[in-house]
Amino acid sequence: PNTVGCSSGVISVASGVISVADEAKEESREASEQWWWRPKACCRAFTAACMSCQAGLTEAQYCAANPHVVGCPEPTPTPPRACCRAFTATCMSCQAGQTEAQYCAANPHVVGC
């Protein structure tokens, strides 16, 4: 049998197998290195599907960054806060979006603090 010596031992190789395997590896390597230059066919409309394709993102990723594009699900609106309008700690902390304790720490002069 044909043998090839190397520092770690002897590898037995059938005649011609290495060159065929090397050619297959080379073709596979070339194909994997060239995938990036092949243009991706993306539509050109201003929709989530087309624009996410052009950006190289999934629709979910694109919509997370651009929620108002046609085709993205409507963002869930936050309901408006129903706060009283009196000048008390309860009402004013609600209007400020804080707890009473937080509001009173910064505004101790307000009624109810």
Side-chain angles (χ1 to χ4, degrees):
N2 294 334
T3 58
V4 177
C6 66
S7 60
S8 63
V10 176
I11 301 171
S12 176
V13 198
S15 177
V17 172
I18 288 180
S19 63
V20 172
D22 286 346
E23 287 176 22
K25 284 181 187 175
E26 182 65 20
E27 288 174 11
S28 175
R29 182 187 62 78
E30 287 175 4
S32 68
E33 288 177 355
Q34 293 176 3
W35 71 266
W36 59 267
W37 65 266
R38 293 182 195 143
K40 188 173 183 179
C42 297
C43 51
R44 301 195 54 152
F46 292 106
T47 63
C50 296
M51 294 174 79
S52 65
C53 176
Q54 293 169 15
L57 301 170
T58 65
E59 279 189 57
Q61 291 170 324
Y62 190 82
C63 286
N66 305 283
H68 299 292
V69 172
V70 173
C72 289
E74 291 293 321
T76 307
T78 13
R81 193 176 305 209
C83 299
C84 51
R85 306 193 114 224
F87 293 106
T88 62
T90 302
C91 297
M92 295 181 78
S93 64
C94 176
Q95 293 171 15
Q98 298 176 327
T99 65
E100 283 188 53
Q102 291 171 326
Y103 189 82
C104 286
N107 303 286
H109 62 282
V110 175
V111 176
C113 287

